[in-house]
Amino acid sequence: MTDTQPHHPTDAPHRARGEAHDYTAVVERALAALDLDTKVRLLSGQDMWTLPAVPAIGLRSLVMSDGPVGVRGREWNAEDPSVTLPSPTALAATWDPALARRAGHLLAQEARRKGVHVLLAPTVNLHRSPLGGRHFECYAEDPLLTGAIGAGYVRGVQEGGVGTTVKHFVGNDAETDRFTVDNRIAPRPLRELYLAPFEHIVEHARPWGVMTAYHQVNGATMTEHRALVQDVLRGEWGFDGVNVSDWTAARDTVRALRAGLDVAMPGPRTVYGAPLAEVVRAGEVAESEVDDAVRRVLLLAARTGCLEGVPAAVGPAGVPQGIDGRAVAREIARRGCVLLRNEPVGGARRALPLDAAALGRVAVIGAAAREARVLGGGSATVFPDAVVSPLEGLRTALPEDVEVTFAVGADPRTRVPHARDGFTLRARYLAADGRVLAETPQADGKVQVTGRLPEGVTRQDLSAVELTGSYLPRLTGRHTLAVSGSGELRLTVGGAVLFDGRLAPESNDPFETYLRPAQRRMTAELTAGESVEITLRCTADGPQPGEGPASPAFALGHGEPQPDADAQIEEAVRAAAGAEVAIVVVATTEETESEGFDRSDLRLPGRQDELVTRVAAANPHTVVVVNSGSPVELPWRAEVPAVLLNWFPGQEAGAALADVLLGAHEPGGRLPTTWPARLTDAPVTTVTPADGQLTYSEGVYLGYRGWQRSAPAPAYPFGHGLGYTDWEYESLDTTPDSVRVRIRNAGDRPGREVVQIYLAPTADAAPDAPERPVRWLAGFAVVEAGPGESAEAEIPLPDRAFAVWEAGDGGEAADGGWRRVKGVYRVEAAHSVDDRRLTAEVTVG
């Protein structure tokens, strides 16, 4: 017998559950005052980041901005810095929706400071394959964990009076051919896995927006996918917010409107605006269909305080204020750190935490120790006002009598980094006759303006941009300089022209060209202490994302004279041999992990694996810090006593790392995704379409579900993470509705444990039960206790945990229903999916 879960009724059109205001009257009054041409303008971006204002009805321009680790605002440059939080994988590694909510409060505070009304985040696509290029920007491989962290984030942002757009709806789990790929996903995995985080967030956080993606799902482009948007998202789940396209994703005027796309971005020219007015006047669509979309835009404006005559969803008294951004960034970074391995060194004491009182010399090794990679590349990019590197953080935290030495060891970068240290730079915007239209300071050698140009600069007048200033060398010798961008570039150093030519795009993907442009390098002999004048002039003519204002994007790169690679490793080995402890920071780079492309392997770039092996042989007390947003292979993990994963840790990277290494705080993280020993072991390794299609042939066996079915044991399983204390699981009581777990801190330090609850079907399941994974996550809770203290967690077991999706005759995700599968289940209280501590049984009727 099949029990189909009833659909939730759609809420009143302009009042979500729990919302304080009913905006129906003011929205209808505003709508009635608009003519057709004004309506269609409201559905189309007026530029890269904003919707138009309509003063006649009291509508201000609504501003959107990229997230999710910070609020960039309308300018893609460092002139207005942003608080920079750790990557979403780090936030998910905390397994703490309440902390995600606090992060949302901070981001709302940042958005309001910058005049932003809608944050283009969070990203809740799943970690289908470790090769996914935006893996770092998503939360987890499990839909429940993803939905819970995403819901906390959305609640936090919107409690600050700022909207969110949950993205990328749906199944946008890889970057290869992302504009055109048709992802073929069967109804059951589509429902149980890929749609599940969106459904959870709609039900529990009531987001004000969703962003539909570029690609197709089962033959329909997501911006034109009526079955998933109108029937499921709106009709079944009751979503009442705005559906905005990913940038340039809207392709067809009529199909997009009929499918429920409200806003086509960016502007000014999109499939909406004038083209939409034309099809209405031609009778191809009714004006009432346009009205439905405009109502949702006006509702968003009302909620965010952009529509006069009605209170915003959150008034000034309810907005969180005075939040210390650095403190929140530091807390998330240390709470998200995952201690993968921690073995004894020369006795009973484990490698971590370090005993600062017993240290005389510490060797810090790795290019990323001096220049931490704190965030992922692509649209998630923001510009912190300052970054605490691991080297700086340790030097600050260690006692003055501890000597800290540094060696690069192995630099993984294949591209020359942006000019920064020793450079004093400014950008000059020039007219064709040489007039300076504007001049702005530059934090580094990258000039990138997306959206508004500086005040006084228009697209019509702008002819070229110059990055100019001086460089004071620290070292004498052959310095490496590089130019990157698209268009005509001319580099002058000390009066000599080093480069004068055109750079062309190296990719057909305009976003990849924009984010990872062609680069050419050259050298110059410079003398320490002798300042040299530098100018890089760019006449940009390359492709720009969207059709907004001109967006110059070019960069000056710089690298100091370096010994050869072998000599760098030898220097690191000597430093390690002369220290009580060696801390090696290994990292991915923007060339290996970023939006716009998928990874080809999971290896650390350059000679970093060799570096770790050589350092570990020289010093048995070697701690390796892994600075990456997603899994990498760690072939040397058994050769070192401690491995600590700190993801992309945000602007307080080094301060948080020092907190954890020195034991001021324990590493609180647990893996939100499985880490393979080798790429070939992973259940899903295909991210490249064949004949335009990418088939999700693994079905419901995603992530740990696939690992437990047939794959070899991973390097580190889902949910794994060590702390600085030990936990004993004392009791487990369960009903079909909830679980109560009692645990005790058996160590000598305060600690935090993530109690994970898994369900596993037994042989006593119903005879007609469908095939299911070995086990799946059904709930979790974070608990804290002091030494010797016990703590209890009560964790609900939702009905959905016992249900499967059964497709209807139509074969679409909108056809069918949820079936509660009867039988006997094991309920497992666990430290990780592979470390299950207590088991009970529950019968579901």
Side-chain angles (χ1 to χ4, degrees):
M1 181 177 178
T2 298
D3 296 325
T4 301
Q5 181 173 305
H7 294 169
H8 293 295
T10 302
D11 294 329
H14 301 139
R15 188 173 185 176
R17 289 194 296 269
E19 194 167 82
H21 306 290
D22 185 347
Y23 296 109
T24 303
V26 71
V27 165
E28 292 302 322
R29 186 164 56 249
L31 177 64
L34 302 176
D35 59 23
L36 175 62
D37 291 321
T38 306
K39 292 175 186 177
V40 298
R41 281 199 302 114
L42 287 178
L43 306 184
S44 184
Q46 68 176 348
D47 54 31
M48 186 63 72
W49 304 116
T50 71
L51 295 182
V54 183
I57 61 170
L59 178 65
R60 292 185 290 275
S61 178
L62 194 146
V63 180
M64 307 178 195
S65 172
D66 274 322
V69 300
V71 182
R72 190 172 59 242
R74 284 181 280 184
E75 315 299 339
W76 197 312
N77 58 50
E79 193 171 347
D80 182 14
S82 307
V83 173
T84 305
L85 301 178
S87 65
T89 42
L91 183 59
T94 70
W95 289 60
D96 192 344
L99 184 57
R101 186 177 180 181
R102 287 177 51 211
H105 289 161
L106 169 65
L107 294 173
Q109 176 179 281
E110 280 283 279
R112 294 171 77 91
R113 178 178 69 83
K114 293 193 172 200
V116 168
H117 307 109
V118 178
L119 192 59
L120 303 173
T123 302
V124 299
N125 302 116
L126 298 182
H127 294 169
R128 176 175 176 263
S129 168
L131 294 175
R134 288 176 90 168
H135 194 294
F136 63 88
E137 195 179 322
C138 309
Y139 291 127
E141 67 185 24
D142 181 81
L144 176 62
L145 177 57
T146 297
I149 298 296
Y153 182 104
V154 168
R155 280 198 300 270
V157 173
Q158 294 186 172
E159 284 166 353
V162 175
T164 58
T165 50
V166 187
K167 63 183 187 181
H168 305 84
F169 192 75
V170 62
N172 186 181
D173 311 301
E175 294 293 281
T176 303
D177 295 344
R178 62 178 175 163
F179 297 105
T180 58
V181 61
D182 181 9
N183 290 337
R184 311 299 291 191
I185 312 174
R188 185 179 167 194
L190 183 57
R191 278 285 190 159
E192 294 183 16
L193 300 176
Y194 301 99
L195 283 168
F198 292 91
E199 181 181 9
H200 183 100
I201 294 169
V202 168
E203 179 179 355
H204 295 281
R206 310 303 298 175
W208 298 346
V210 161
M211 180 186 291
T212 38
Y214 296 110
H215 66 285
Q216 302 173 59
V217 170
N218 299 331
T221 301
M222 280 311 307
T223 53
E224 303 166 10
H225 210 306
R226 183 179 180 88
L228 291 181
V229 174
Q230 294 286 57
D231 297 343
V232 175
L233 175 64
R234 288 211 172 102
E236 181 182 334
W237 300 347
F239 171 70
D240 69 347
V242 163
N243 172 14
V244 58
S245 75
D246 204 342
W247 267 225
T248 74
R251 298 174 174 89
D252 184 271
T253 301
V254 175
R255 289 198 299 268
L257 187 70
R258 291 256 164 89
L261 181 70
D262 299 319
V263 175
M265 291 293 289
R269 287 182 292 178
T270 74
V271 299
Y272 287 169
L276 180 54
E278 289 178 12
V279 298
V280 172
R281 291 183 172 114
E284 296 180 52
V285 297
E287 188 169 349
S288 61
E289 296 176 82
V290 174
D291 289 348
D292 288 340
V294 175
R295 283 188 181 94
R296 289 186 284 265
V297 172
L298 293 173
L299 174 60
L300 178 62
R303 284 170 163 167
T304 56
C306 291
L307 187 61
E308 294 176 5
V310 63
V314 181
V319 174
Q321 299 180 49
I323 304 170
D324 185 337
R326 292 184 59 185
V328 174
R330 187 168 178 168
E331 181 178 359
I332 295 172
R334 65 189 179 222
R335 290 273 306 277
C337 274
V338 181
L339 185 56
L340 298 175
R341 176 178 172 85
N342 193 23
E343 298 298 315
V345 180
R349 183 177 175 84
R350 296 185 184 275
L352 291 175
L354 300 175
D355 181 2
L359 298 176
R361 179 179 296 174
V362 175
V364 180
I365 296 166
R370 185 171 60 188
E371 298 177 52
R373 187 177 182 198
V374 300
L375 49 77
S379 61
T381 300
V382 293
F383 303 92
D385 60 354
V387 171
V388 182
S389 71
L391 180 61
E392 179 186 351
L394 284 164
R395 281 180 169 160
T396 300
L398 284 166
E400 291 183 1
D401 58 351
V402 177
E403 181 184 356
V404 179
T405 63
F406 171 74
V408 170
D411 192 331
R413 295 170 294 195
T414 57
R415 293 172 68 90
V416 181
H418 300 141
R420 180 183 291 270
D421 292 341
F423 285 82
T424 302
L425 299 168
R426 61 191 184 278
R428 303 199 311 162
Y429 297 78
L430 306 175
D433 60 5
R435 286 181 297 114
V436 177
L437 302 173
E439 188 168 311
T440 60
Q442 285 287 128
D444 60 18
K446 186 174 186 178
V447 178
Q448 184 164 292
V449 180
T450 302
R452 293 186 306 179
L453 290 162
E455 186 176 351
V457 182
T458 65
R459 184 173 186 173
Q460 294 73 25
D461 290 340
L462 183 64
S463 175
V465 182
E466 282 187 350
L467 178 68
T468 186
S470 62
Y471 172 54
L472 185 65
R474 189 174 63 90
L475 300 175
T476 296
R478 188 176 294 272
H479 290 244
T480 300
L481 295 164
V483 298
S484 60
S486 181
E488 296 285 347
L489 291 150
R490 179 184 175 92
L491 175 64
T492 305
V493 179
V497 177
L498 297 190
F499 181 87
D500 191 358
R502 174 179 291 274
L503 291 184
E506 296 179 342
S507 169
N508 292 327
D509 183 336
F511 282 83
E512 184 175 354
T513 296
Y514 193 67
L515 299 169
R516 192 171 62 162
Q519 186 180 79
R520 297 293 181 271
R521 62 180 65 192
M522 61 282 313
T523 60
E525 289 286 345
L526 302 177
T527 304
E530 294 186 7
S531 181
V532 61
E533 297 298 312
I534 293 182
T535 297
L536 175 59
R537 181 186 178 97
C538 174
T539 305
D541 61 359
Q544 307 296 333
E547 296 183 272
S551 302
F554 65 100
L556 170 68
H558 172 259
E560 289 185 326
Q562 298 286 352
D564 65 38
D566 290 336
Q568 286 184 322
I569 291 180
E570 292 295 339
E571 179 189 9
V573 170
R574 288 193 299 271
E580 282 86 11
V581 61
I583 300 169
V584 185
V585 183
V586 296
T588 58
T589 67
E590 290 188 1
E591 300 92 77
T592 58
E593 193 177 2
S594 176
E595 178 182 352
F597 58 92
D598 290 313
R599 300 159 76 190
S600 58
D601 58 57
L602 301 184
R603 294 190 296 273
L604 286 167
R607 297 174 65 178
Q608 294 181 101
D609 288 333
E610 177 188 352
L611 173 67
V612 172
T613 296
R614 294 282 305 279
V615 168
N619 189 327
H621 196 171
T622 293
V623 176
V624 182
V625 178
V626 182
N627 181 194
S628 73
S630 52
V632 292
E633 294 174 2
L634 309 174
W636 34 259
R637 63 189 183 279
E639 302 170 20
V640 298
V643 182
L644 181 70
L645 168 61
N646 73 337
W647 310 100
F648 294 148
Q651 69 179 62
E652 299 299 310
L657 180 61
D659 287 341
V660 169
L661 292 177
L662 299 177
H665 296 269
E666 73 168 352
R670 304 293 185 265
L671 286 178
T673 197
T674 308
W675 274 49
R678 295 167 298 275
L679 171 61
T680 53
D681 294 342
V684 179
T685 59
T686 301
V687 293
T688 301
D691 298 324
Q693 294 185 350
L694 182 63
T695 301
Y696 285 37
S697 57
E698 70 280 0
V700 296
Y701 295 98
L702 171 73
Y704 65 86
R705 294 167 169 83
W707 283 95
Q708 297 216 329
R709 182 190 192 195
S710 60
Y716 300 105
F718 176 79
H720 171 73
L722 307 174
Y724 290 155
T725 190
D726 297 312
W727 294 92
E728 292 183 358
Y729 280 57
E730 296 182 324
S731 65
L732 169 63
D733 300 306
T734 184
T735 72
D737 301 314
S738 67
V739 172
R740 184 181 295 274
V741 183
R742 183 179 180 84
I743 65 174
R744 185 174 66 87
N745 182 345
D748 58 4
R749 292 174 53 103
R752 178 184 289 109
E753 173 72 330
V754 178
V755 178
Q756 302 163 40
I757 301 298
Y758 296 89
L759 290 180
T762 70
D764 295 323
D768 62 344
E771 181 183 5
R772 285 177 290 176
V774 174
R775 59 183 46 82
W776 55 89
L777 185 70
F780 59 91
V782 179
V783 298
E784 298 180 0
E789 296 178 351
S790 294
E792 282 191 350
E794 185 165 359
I795 303 169
L797 292 178
D799 286 344
R800 184 65 59 80
F802 301 99
V804 298
W805 178 262
E806 292 193 336
D809 295 336
E812 293 285 345
D815 302 322
W818 290 101
R819 173 191 174 190
R820 183 178 170 93
V821 181
K822 302 175 182 179
V824 179
Y825 292 80
R826 286 193 310 277
V827 180
E828 301 167 337
H831 177 76
S832 78
V833 72
D834 286 350
D835 184 1
R836 300 176 297 279
R837 303 290 179 86
L838 294 174
T839 301
E841 288 191 346
V842 64
T843 300
V844 174

